[in-house]
Amino acid sequence: LGKLFGFWRKLGGGHVGVLTGKGLDWGGSELRTEATGYGVVYLLQELLKDKGKHLDGQKVIISGSGNVATYAAKKCIYNNAHVLSLSDRDGTYWCTNGMDEATVDAILLHKKSNGSPLPKNVKFLPGVRPWTANAKVKIDIALPCATQNEVDANDANTMLKRGIHALVEGSNLSSTAEAVKIYRQHSSQMSYVGSKLANLGGVGTSYLEMVQNAYKSHWTGEQVDEELQEMMKSAYKNAKMAAIEYDVSLTDGANIAAFKKIAKVMKELGYVNSGAHL
Protein backbone atom coordinates (compact mmCIF):
# COMPACT_ATOMS: atom_id res chain seq x y z
CA LEU A 1 0.00 0.00 0.00
CA GLY A 2 2.89 2.33 0.76
CA LYS A 3 4.37 1.91 -2.71
CA LEU A 4 0.95 2.40 -4.29
CA PHE A 5 0.37 5.59 -2.32
CA GLY A 6 3.88 6.86 -3.04
CA PHE A 7 3.44 6.37 -6.79
CA TRP A 8 0.00 7.98 -6.65
CA ARG A 9 1.59 11.05 -5.09
CA LYS A 10 4.16 11.15 -7.89
CA LEU A 11 1.42 11.01 -10.51
CA GLY A 12 -0.71 13.63 -8.79
CA GLY A 13 2.09 15.93 -7.82
CA GLY A 14 1.20 15.94 -4.15
CA HIS A 15 -0.91 14.51 -1.35
CA VAL A 16 -4.17 14.31 -3.30
CA GLY A 17 -6.94 11.79 -3.68
CA VAL A 18 -8.12 9.21 -1.18
CA LEU A 19 -6.33 6.06 -0.12
CA THR A 20 -7.01 4.61 3.30
CA GLY A 21 -5.40 1.94 5.40
CA LYS A 22 -2.14 3.89 5.22
CA GLY A 23 0.77 3.38 7.59
CA LEU A 24 0.62 5.32 10.85
CA ASP A 25 3.73 7.31 9.92
CA TRP A 26 2.20 8.68 6.72
CA GLY A 27 -1.42 9.49 7.39
CA GLY A 28 -2.97 6.25 8.60
CA SER A 29 -5.41 5.85 11.48
CA GLU A 30 -5.13 4.02 14.74
CA LEU A 31 -7.42 0.95 15.00
CA ARG A 32 -7.96 0.63 11.24
CA THR A 33 -6.86 -3.02 11.45
CA GLU A 34 -9.14 -3.75 14.39
CA ALA A 35 -12.11 -1.65 13.26
CA THR A 36 -14.25 -4.16 11.36
CA GLY A 37 -14.10 -6.79 14.10
CA TYR A 38 -14.67 -4.25 16.86
CA GLY A 39 -17.57 -2.74 14.93
CA VAL A 40 -19.28 -6.11 14.57
CA VAL A 41 -19.26 -6.50 18.34
CA TYR A 42 -20.37 -2.92 19.01
CA LEU A 43 -23.38 -3.48 16.76
CA LEU A 44 -24.04 -6.84 18.42
CA GLN A 45 -24.12 -5.09 21.77
CA GLU A 46 -26.80 -2.68 20.53
CA LEU A 47 -28.84 -5.62 19.28
CA LEU A 48 -28.49 -7.42 22.62
CA LYS A 49 -29.62 -4.32 24.53
CA ASP A 50 -32.90 -4.40 22.62
CA LYS A 51 -33.27 -8.07 23.55
CA GLY A 52 -32.62 -7.35 27.22
CA LYS A 53 -29.33 -9.22 27.07
CA HIS A 54 -25.59 -8.51 27.23
CA LEU A 55 -22.42 -10.26 26.15
CA ASP A 56 -21.36 -11.38 29.60
CA GLY A 57 -21.54 -15.18 29.70
CA GLN A 58 -22.84 -15.61 26.15
CA LYS A 59 -21.44 -18.57 24.19
CA VAL A 60 -20.11 -17.25 20.88
CA ILE A 61 -18.88 -19.20 17.87
CA ILE A 62 -16.72 -17.31 15.37
CA SER A 63 -15.42 -18.42 11.99
CA GLY A 64 -12.19 -17.24 10.44
CA SER A 65 -8.85 -16.28 11.95
CA GLY A 66 -8.01 -13.12 10.03
CA ASN A 67 -8.30 -9.55 11.28
CA VAL A 68 -12.10 -9.46 11.49
CA ALA A 69 -12.39 -12.75 13.38
CA THR A 70 -9.41 -12.05 15.63
CA TYR A 71 -10.55 -8.64 16.82
CA ALA A 72 -14.19 -9.63 17.07
CA ALA A 73 -13.07 -12.50 19.31
CA LYS A 74 -10.88 -10.25 21.45
CA LYS A 75 -13.64 -7.68 21.87
CA CYS A 76 -16.09 -10.43 22.86
CA ILE A 77 -13.56 -11.76 25.37
CA TYR A 78 -13.05 -8.23 26.75
CA ASN A 79 -16.79 -8.14 27.39
CA ASN A 80 -16.70 -11.51 29.23
CA ALA A 81 -18.28 -13.63 26.50
CA HIS A 82 -17.24 -17.25 26.08
CA VAL A 83 -15.62 -17.50 22.63
CA LEU A 84 -15.69 -21.17 21.69
CA SER A 85 -14.17 -21.17 18.21
CA LEU A 86 -12.04 -19.73 15.46
CA SER A 87 -11.44 -21.49 12.15
CA ASP A 88 -9.54 -21.63 8.87
CA ARG A 89 -9.98 -23.46 5.59
CA ASP A 90 -8.75 -26.70 7.16
CA GLY A 91 -11.06 -26.86 10.14
CA THR A 92 -12.14 -25.40 13.49
CA TYR A 93 -10.15 -24.46 16.59
CA TRP A 94 -12.44 -25.35 19.48
CA CYS A 95 -12.12 -24.29 23.11
CA THR A 96 -14.86 -25.78 25.28
CA ASN A 97 -14.37 -23.47 28.25
CA GLY A 98 -13.92 -20.32 26.18
CA MET A 99 -10.79 -18.56 24.96
CA ASP A 100 -8.82 -15.75 26.50
CA GLU A 101 -6.72 -13.31 24.45
CA ALA A 102 -3.60 -15.41 24.97
CA THR A 103 -5.38 -18.41 23.47
CA VAL A 104 -6.38 -16.38 20.41
CA ASP A 105 -2.78 -15.21 19.98
CA ALA A 106 -1.49 -18.78 20.40
CA ILE A 107 -3.81 -20.02 17.64
CA LEU A 108 -2.58 -17.28 15.31
CA LEU A 109 1.04 -18.13 16.14
CA HIS A 110 0.33 -21.80 15.46
CA LYS A 111 -1.04 -20.91 12.04
CA LYS A 112 1.82 -18.57 11.13
CA SER A 113 4.65 -20.75 12.41
CA ASN A 114 3.29 -23.95 10.88
CA GLY A 115 4.26 -26.04 13.85
CA SER A 116 3.96 -24.02 17.05
CA PRO A 117 1.93 -26.18 19.45
CA LEU A 118 -1.66 -25.32 20.18
CA PRO A 119 -2.62 -24.57 23.79
CA LYS A 120 -3.82 -27.63 25.68
CA ASN A 121 -7.30 -26.13 26.01
CA VAL A 122 -7.75 -25.94 22.20
CA LYS A 123 -8.75 -28.88 20.03
CA PHE A 124 -8.42 -28.73 16.26
CA LEU A 125 -11.32 -30.33 14.38
CA PRO A 126 -10.21 -30.97 10.78
CA GLY A 127 -12.76 -30.48 8.02
CA VAL A 128 -15.40 -29.12 10.40
CA ARG A 129 -16.90 -25.63 10.46
CA PRO A 130 -17.87 -23.89 13.72
CA TRP A 131 -21.60 -24.05 12.95
CA THR A 132 -21.61 -27.85 13.19
CA ALA A 133 -18.60 -28.42 15.46
CA ASN A 134 -19.59 -30.21 18.68
CA ALA A 135 -23.20 -29.85 17.58
CA LYS A 136 -24.63 -30.92 20.94
CA VAL A 137 -23.06 -27.91 22.67
CA LYS A 138 -25.50 -25.03 23.20
CA ILE A 139 -24.59 -21.73 21.56
CA ASP A 140 -26.01 -18.23 21.87
CA ILE A 141 -24.38 -16.14 19.15
CA ALA A 142 -22.68 -16.77 15.80
CA LEU A 143 -20.29 -14.33 14.13
CA PRO A 144 -19.32 -15.51 10.63
CA CYS A 145 -16.08 -13.66 9.88
CA ALA A 146 -14.37 -15.78 7.24
CA THR A 147 -15.80 -15.58 3.73
CA GLN A 148 -18.85 -15.27 1.50
CA ASN A 149 -21.59 -17.93 1.61
CA GLU A 150 -19.95 -19.73 4.52
CA VAL A 151 -23.27 -20.48 6.25
CA ASP A 152 -25.73 -22.61 4.31
CA ALA A 153 -29.25 -23.85 5.06
CA ASN A 154 -28.04 -26.97 6.87
CA ASP A 155 -25.77 -24.86 9.06
CA ALA A 156 -28.64 -22.50 9.84
CA ASN A 157 -30.89 -25.35 10.92
CA THR A 158 -28.12 -26.88 13.04
CA MET A 159 -27.52 -23.60 14.87
CA LEU A 160 -31.23 -23.18 15.54
CA LYS A 161 -31.26 -26.60 17.19
CA ARG A 162 -28.29 -25.48 19.28
CA GLY A 163 -30.29 -22.55 20.66
CA ILE A 164 -28.80 -19.61 18.76
CA HIS A 165 -30.53 -16.27 19.33
CA ALA A 166 -28.34 -13.91 17.26
CA LEU A 167 -26.23 -14.09 14.11
CA VAL A 168 -24.26 -11.03 13.03
CA GLU A 169 -22.24 -11.16 9.81
CA GLY A 170 -18.62 -10.03 9.93
CA SER A 171 -17.67 -11.29 6.48
CA ASN A 172 -19.36 -9.95 3.36
CA LEU A 173 -22.54 -11.88 2.49
CA SER A 174 -21.69 -14.60 4.99
CA SER A 175 -24.94 -16.51 4.54
CA THR A 176 -26.47 -18.10 1.48
CA ALA A 177 -29.93 -16.94 0.37
CA GLU A 178 -31.36 -20.21 1.65
CA ALA A 179 -29.82 -19.65 5.09
CA VAL A 180 -31.18 -16.11 5.27
CA LYS A 181 -34.65 -17.43 4.43
CA ILE A 182 -34.40 -19.81 7.39
CA TYR A 183 -33.27 -17.00 9.72
CA ARG A 184 -36.32 -14.98 8.73
CA GLN A 185 -38.64 -17.93 9.19
CA HIS A 186 -37.35 -18.25 12.76
CA SER A 187 -37.15 -14.56 13.63
CA SER A 188 -39.04 -15.20 16.86
CA GLN A 189 -36.06 -17.25 18.07
CA MET A 190 -33.08 -15.51 16.49
CA SER A 191 -32.07 -12.06 15.31
CA TYR A 192 -30.10 -11.70 12.08
CA VAL A 193 -27.97 -8.74 11.00
CA GLY A 194 -26.52 -8.80 7.50
CA SER A 195 -23.02 -7.72 6.59
CA LYS A 196 -23.90 -4.40 4.95
CA LEU A 197 -24.82 -3.07 8.38
CA ALA A 198 -22.77 -5.28 10.68
CA ASN A 199 -19.30 -4.91 9.18
CA LEU A 200 -19.31 -1.22 8.27
CA GLY A 201 -16.80 -0.44 11.01
CA GLY A 202 -13.84 -0.93 8.70
CA VAL A 203 -14.92 1.40 5.93
CA GLY A 204 -16.30 3.72 8.59
CA THR A 205 -12.84 4.00 10.12
CA SER A 206 -11.45 4.67 6.66
CA TYR A 207 -13.77 7.68 6.70
CA LEU A 208 -12.35 8.64 10.10
CA GLU A 209 -8.88 8.37 8.56
CA MET A 210 -9.95 10.80 5.84
CA VAL A 211 -11.28 13.21 8.49
CA GLN A 212 -7.95 13.10 10.31
CA ASN A 213 -6.09 13.73 7.05
CA ALA A 214 -8.36 16.69 6.23
CA TYR A 215 -7.54 18.29 9.57
CA LYS A 216 -3.88 17.24 9.35
CA SER A 217 -4.25 15.55 12.71
CA HIS A 218 -3.72 12.12 14.24
CA TRP A 219 -6.18 10.81 16.80
CA THR A 220 -5.39 8.44 19.62
CA GLY A 221 -6.76 4.92 19.58
CA GLU A 222 -9.20 5.96 22.30
CA GLN A 223 -10.55 8.80 20.16
CA VAL A 224 -11.01 6.56 17.13
CA ASP A 225 -12.68 3.90 19.26
CA GLU A 226 -15.16 6.41 20.67
CA GLU A 227 -16.04 7.60 17.16
CA LEU A 228 -16.38 4.01 15.95
CA GLN A 229 -18.74 3.11 18.78
CA GLU A 230 -20.94 6.14 18.07
CA MET A 231 -20.93 5.28 14.35
CA MET A 232 -22.16 1.74 14.99
CA LYS A 233 -24.81 2.96 17.44
CA SER A 234 -26.06 5.50 14.91
CA ALA A 235 -26.13 2.97 12.07
CA TYR A 236 -28.08 0.52 14.22
CA LYS A 237 -30.54 3.21 15.27
CA ASN A 238 -31.16 4.34 11.67
CA ALA A 239 -31.66 0.76 10.48
CA LYS A 240 -34.00 0.03 13.37
CA MET A 241 -36.11 3.15 12.73
CA ALA A 242 -36.48 2.29 9.04
CA ALA A 243 -37.34 -1.30 9.91
CA ILE A 244 -40.11 -0.12 12.22
CA GLU A 245 -41.42 2.47 9.74
CA TYR A 246 -41.64 0.03 6.84
CA ASP A 247 -42.40 -3.09 8.91
CA VAL A 248 -39.38 -5.01 7.62
CA SER A 249 -36.37 -6.80 9.08
CA LEU A 250 -33.42 -4.94 10.56
CA THR A 251 -31.27 -5.93 7.57
CA ASP A 252 -33.88 -4.60 5.13
CA GLY A 253 -34.20 -1.51 7.29
CA ALA A 254 -30.48 -0.86 6.87
CA ASN A 255 -30.84 -1.09 3.09
CA ILE A 256 -33.81 1.28 3.09
CA ALA A 257 -32.11 3.82 5.36
CA ALA A 258 -29.01 3.83 3.14
CA PHE A 259 -31.03 4.14 -0.07
CA LYS A 260 -33.12 7.02 1.27
CA LYS A 261 -30.02 8.93 2.36
CA ILE A 262 -28.34 8.52 -1.04
CA ALA A 263 -31.56 9.39 -2.90
CA LYS A 264 -32.03 12.54 -0.81
CA VAL A 265 -28.50 13.73 -1.58
CA MET A 266 -28.89 12.97 -5.30
CA LYS A 267 -32.08 15.06 -5.44
CA GLU A 268 -30.52 17.95 -3.52
CA LEU A 269 -27.49 17.97 -5.84
CA GLY A 270 -29.69 17.95 -8.91
CA TYR A 271 -28.55 14.54 -10.17
CA VAL A 272 -32.19 13.46 -10.50
CA ASN A 273 -35.40 15.36 -11.12
CA SER A 274 -36.25 17.19 -7.89
CA GLY A 275 -39.88 16.24 -8.45
CA ALA A 276 -39.09 12.54 -8.70
CA HIS A 277 -40.58 10.43 -5.92
CA LEU A 278 -37.73 8.46 -4.32
Side-chain angles (χ1 to χ4, degrees):
L1 184 59
K3 292 180 180 178
L4 181 65
F5 183 62
F7 195 72
W8 174 249
R9 291 189 64 185
K10 287 182 181 179
L11 291 175
H15 197 117
V16 296
V18 175
L19 192 68
T20 62
K22 300 186 292 294
L24 294 179
D25 293 330
W26 39 282
S29 176
E30 303 285 350
L31 295 190
R32 180 59 188 85
T33 302
E34 297 91 337
T36 305
Y38 281 8
V40 167
V41 178
Y42 292 149
L43 190 131
L44 170 62
Q45 289 177 302
E46 295 304 302
L47 177 69
L48 292 178
K49 285 179 186 177
D50 279 350
K51 293 162 70 75
K53 300 177 183 291
H54 45 75
L55 265 174
D56 191 1
Q58 297 284 309
K59 292 185 177 181
V60 184
I61 53 175
I62 300 176
S63 66
S65 47
N67 288 336
V68 181
T70 297
Y71 292 108
K74 289 188 174 183
K75 185 59 69 172
C76 284
I77 293 165
Y78 177 80
N79 286 281
N80 299 314
H82 298 302
V83 175
L84 303 181
S85 71
L86 292 173
S87 70
D88 59 26
R89 69 183 66 185
D90 296 319
T92 293
Y93 299 89
W94 186 269
C95 185
T96 299
N97 295 322
M99 301 180 186
D100 56 16
E101 287 199 24
T103 302
V104 174
D105 290 337
I107 292 171
L108 298 180
L109 179 62
H110 170 79
K111 287 170 53 61
K112 290 178 181 178
S113 66
N114 194 27
S116 175
L118 283 171
K120 293 181 179 179
N121 61 332
V122 175
K123 184 177 181 180
F124 181 67
L125 306 174
V128 179
R129 290 178 296 173
W131 331 127
T132 56
N134 293 319
K136 293 183 179 180
V137 175
K138 178 186 177 296
I139 59 169
D140 299 304
I141 297 166
L143 303 179
C145 296
T147 188
Q148 184 173 331
N149 292 330
E150 58 175 303
V151 185
D152 62 24
N154 290 332
D155 299 326
N157 282 320
T158 298
M159 288 190 284
L160 284 164
K161 292 176 182 177
R162 301 177 72 173
I164 187 174
H165 65 75
L167 185 144
V168 179
E169 293 185 337
S171 56
N172 291 325
L173 299 173
S174 310
S175 305
T176 65
E178 293 78 12
V180 173
K181 183 177 180 180
I182 291 170
Y183 304 155
R184 293 185 173 184
Q185 289 171 344
H186 294 83
S187 59
S188 60
Q189 174 181 330
M190 67 170 288
S191 301
Y192 162 65
V193 184
S195 57
K196 191 179 294 184
L197 173 60
N199 72 9
L200 65 83
V203 70
T205 302
S206 283
Y207 159 74
L208 297 179
E209 181 177 328
M210 292 162 60
V211 172
Q212 293 170 73
N213 292 167
Y215 282 92
K216 294 181 171 57
S217 64
H218 184 82
W219 300 346
T220 65
E222 289 77 11
Q223 288 175 293
V224 175
D225 197 33
E226 288 178 6
E227 293 288 339
L228 174 60
Q229 290 184 55
E230 289 304 312
M231 185 184 303
M232 300 309 297
K233 289 178 181 178
S234 177
Y236 179 82
K237 178 182 177 181
N238 292 338
K240 178 183 173 182
M241 289 175 62
I244 293 171
E245 179 180 355
Y246 291 93
D247 191 24
V248 295
S249 68
L250 184 65
T251 297
D252 289 340
N255 289 333
I256 292 170
F259 176 82
K260 289 183 69 175
K261 185 173 185 178
I262 293 169
K264 179 176 181 289
V265 172
M266 290 178 68
K267 288 175 66 175
E268 291 177 352
L269 293 177
Y271 295 154
V272 295
N273 187 336
S274 60
H277 181 69
L278 294 174

